[in-house]
Amino acid sequence: MSSEGRMAFMPFITAGDPDLDTTVAVLKELANCGVDLIEIGFPYSDPIADGPVIQESYTRALNNHFQVHELFDVLKSLSSDQTTTLPPLVGMVSYAIIFRYGAEKFLNEASAAGFSGLIVPDLPGDEALEFSQKTQLANLDLVQLVSPLTPEDRTKRIVQSASGFIYCISVAGTTGVRDELPAELTVHLESLRQLTDLPLAVGFGISKPEHVDTLRGKADGFIIGSAIVKQFAAFSDSNQTREEVISSIGNYATEMMSATRG
Amino acid sequence: MTTILSDVPDASGRFGEFGRRFVPETLMHALEELTQEYEKAKQDESFQSELNDLLKHYVGRPNPLYFAERLTKHCGGGKIYFKREDLNHTGAHKINNTIGQALLTVRMGKKRVIAETGAGQHGVASAVACARFGLECIVYMGEEDIRRQKLNVFNMKMMGAEVRAVTSGSKTLRDAVNDAMRDWMSSVESTHYIIGSVIGPHPFPMMVRDFQSVIGKETRAQCLEQTGKLPDQVIACVGGGSNSAGMFYPFIDDESVKLIGVEAGGRGPEPGEHASTLSYGAKGVLHGSFGYVLQDSDGQTQDVHSISAGLDYPGVGPEHSYWKDSGRVNYTAITDNEALEGFQTMAKQEGIIPAIESSHAIAHAMKVAREAHSNETIVVCLSGRGDKDVNEVARLLGQEI
């Protein structure tokens, strides 16, 4: 991507919000828009890193009886569907789910379902050592998060065990749309750049093309979650049809894709 | 070589396989700083002497170990004693911890405190401690618990705390913990989170246990003084597990003392009908630590039920998980109806209105006492007084106040 002189756009959606058929339809729409990677959030009953928009989407999916194995089944059949080529998929999943499901079983099934990596937000670097070996055996990247509050010596340790890309949290806090990105972010990205050759992707608080302009030349990609996920509320809150909502998500993704080129 | 069960956690917060830190990276640095600060405070004589002074003159410690003669006669069998945490300032054990953590907050130079509460006792104890030290206090509380515990909500506000209603999920303690953790994520540099039980990421389970261990230390000394021996059985209720951890810990290496934790059996053993994590849960992650959790096969936390807002929690402290697996502590459950019966019997026999949480321990002690020999001593942690529960109890008994 950097050879094309553009940033990677990585949209986030919640699996099973409000049902898995919709998830498939949205994945196809985002793939058609040419997004670079899709993050798929696994609904979890007690998320502590997520803000209200993502939590509500988890609740919608869980109220509709979301099951991990059903997501894996649906993705497996989607990847064998010749008409759709999906970009790389990265799962955002709580360690509570992975542990209970069985780490090896989860990793093998995730890999077979077409995931190329995982982000486990409640498994900080210190606890991730054993798990990161397991992800390697399953041929998955384990993306690590770095926060603006992470001191340099911790950051050094974290980036050493990371693969795929580094998820740079833009602000201390939870996920959610914010008006402006903090000024210190640039300094944070510059210092991270000195510590790793892995791509740097920025997440939390990004929602509009102006945010992307701020990141240009400093980050390799950006993740948008809440600004997309909030549109899913329309499935239950308004009289829009599913096609209208999906098309609106597609329009937004197209707009953000153009922003990647500057 | 015998394992010394009291020698936990290790430096990474492990109680055997339990405990540790399963939190977003944003919180990691603050937890490391807190651990270092707490370790320093523990060794600091001036911190310890200020804490002891406050426990004595502000909290009202040591509180009595009381021989419940009439309840003993009523049950027949073993002698029942109560450790009277209900006589502390604010009427519950929670203040032992909040005073300690508020002192630590001042030491760290932070001015803002957040807390979560179920029954309201921890919220009140946090509001009290913050008022005492002039700290800003925000208490997260589920909407359902606000309905059940109006008196405590009023008290918190009187002492200058802001009570924030939590409307997500089951609107109870677990959701209040989620919201408090979220607040902490964005305020961690200026704010200390006073967790109210022996739950959460390291160092909280260790720190809260240490602050609550004053209960067991006093009980041990008072028992030796009053009966000339250690108790035969020690009983305490377990939600997250702070009063029981504080009561059990000083007895953990005394193999002759039988320790029993009593969980909320609710309406029965079906999922969603109880809050008996150690009786029916499985190993997993919740709220930043690894321990037993009531969850489904996908790791989703299950809804729980208890007559007591303070026990209505789907997890339990990692040290309790460790004690369960090592076999050192036995855990059992008492139903809503049995707890209500314990509540009423205690009021009639002893003239003490216990917290509905403590009534679970009382109900189990009554069963145990009947089976015990008259020279056996059974000590129950009376973790709090029941003023806050009388409206709810009256409603359940179909009576008007």
Side-chain angles (χ1 to χ4, degrees), chain B residues 104-166:
Chain B
L104 202 59
T105 307
V106 174
R107 187 183 163 99
M108 289 188 291
K110 295 186 175 180
K111 307 264 184 238
R112 180 175 181 265
V113 160
I114 51 173
E116 87 299 318
T117 197
Q121 284 172 321
H122 174 61
V124 168
S126 298
V128 163
C130 288
R132 169 65 183 75
F133 290 102
L135 299 164
E136 182 189 355
C137 183
I138 317 283
V139 180
Y140 288 89
M141 188 169 185
E143 249 186 2
E144 170 63 13
D145 292 335
I146 288 177
R147 181 193 69 75
R148 290 196 277 194
Q149 301 293 346
K150 287 182 186 143
L151 179 64
N152 275 340
V153 173
F154 180 74
N155 286 341
M156 282 182 253
K157 289 179 179 169
M158 288 271 284
M159 286 175 286
E162 180 193 336
V163 180
R164 287 193 188 163
V166 177

Side-chain angles (χ1 to χ4, degrees), chain A residues 44-51 55 58 94 121-122 173-175 204, chain B residues 22-24 27 174-186 193 201 285-289:
Chain A
Y44 176 47
S45 54
D46 292 84
I48 49 177
D50 289 301
Q55 185 184 13
Y58 288 172
S94 167
D122 51 0
T174 56
T175 58
F204 288 32
Chain B
F22 293 93
V23 291
L27 295 179
R174 135 194 183 205
D175 308 286
V177 176
N178 289 337
D179 270 27
M181 286 234 176
R182 285 201 191 105
D183 181 319
W184 203 33
M185 294 259 292
S186 51
Y193 176 15
V285 171
L286 179 67
H287 292 145
S289 82

Side-chain angles (χ1 to χ4, degrees), chain A residues 17 53-54 57 60 177 207 225-235 237:
Chain A
D17 175 18
V53 169
I54 306 275
S57 78
R60 287 194 294 268
V177 170
S207 62
S226 297
I228 291 173
V229 169
K230 73 179 181 194
Q231 301 193 49
F232 282 75
F235 284 114
D237 296 352

Side-chain angles (χ1 to χ4, degrees), chain A residues 13-16 20 23-24 27 40-43 66-78 89 91-92 101 106 109 113 115, chain B residues 298:
Chain A
I13 60 165
T14 295
L20 283 171
T23 303
V24 168
L27 285 173
I40 300 182
F42 286 62
F66 168 84
Q67 295 258 291
V68 170
H69 74 90
E70 286 177 8
L71 171 67
F72 287 152
D73 289 346
V74 159
L75 291 178
K76 223 187 277 181
S77 56
L78 191 58
L89 302 179
M92 170 84 89
Y101 200 81
F106 185 95
E109 291 183 18
F115 281 101
Chain B
D298 259 6

Side-chain angles (χ1 to χ4, degrees), chain B residues 242-277:
Chain B
S242 71
N243 89 86
S244 45
M247 183 59 145
F248 294 163
Y249 185 68
F251 291 105
I252 276 295
D253 297 327
D254 298 312
E255 285 177 21
S256 69
V257 182
K258 195 173 168 188
L259 305 172
I260 306 167
V262 185
E263 296 191 299
R267 293 182 285 245
E270 294 300 314
E273 295 292 303
H274 61 84
S276 306
T277 307

Side-chain angles (χ1 to χ4, degrees), chain A residues 130-219:
Chain A
E130 197 186 324
F131 185 69
S132 85
Q133 289 162 355
K134 288 181 182 163
T135 53
Q136 279 171 22
L137 287 174
N139 222 5
L140 290 165
D141 284 321
L142 182 60
V143 174
Q144 301 276 5
L145 293 96
V146 175
S147 135
L149 301 181
T150 310
E152 191 175 316
D153 56 336
R154 264 190 75 76
T155 307
K156 279 183 187 161
R157 288 203 306 270
I158 290 171
V159 298
Q160 274 167 13
S161 67
S163 59
F165 60 90
I166 301 290
Y167 192 128
C168 314
I169 301 172
S170 66
V171 287
T174 56
T175 58
V177 170
R178 289 169 176 85
D179 281 344
E180 282 183 10
L181 296 178
E184 323 71 270
L185 179 61
T186 304
V187 182
H188 187 219
L189 289 169
E190 276 164 7
S191 65
L192 263 172
R193 184 66 84 197
Q194 304 300 314
L195 299 175
T196 179
D197 294 329
L198 285 171
L200 305 179
V202 179
F204 288 32
I206 301 167
S207 62
K208 30 189 191 188
E210 299 84 70
H211 293 153
V212 181
D213 292 336
T214 317
L215 297 173
R216 203 176 311 285
K218 295 158 196 121

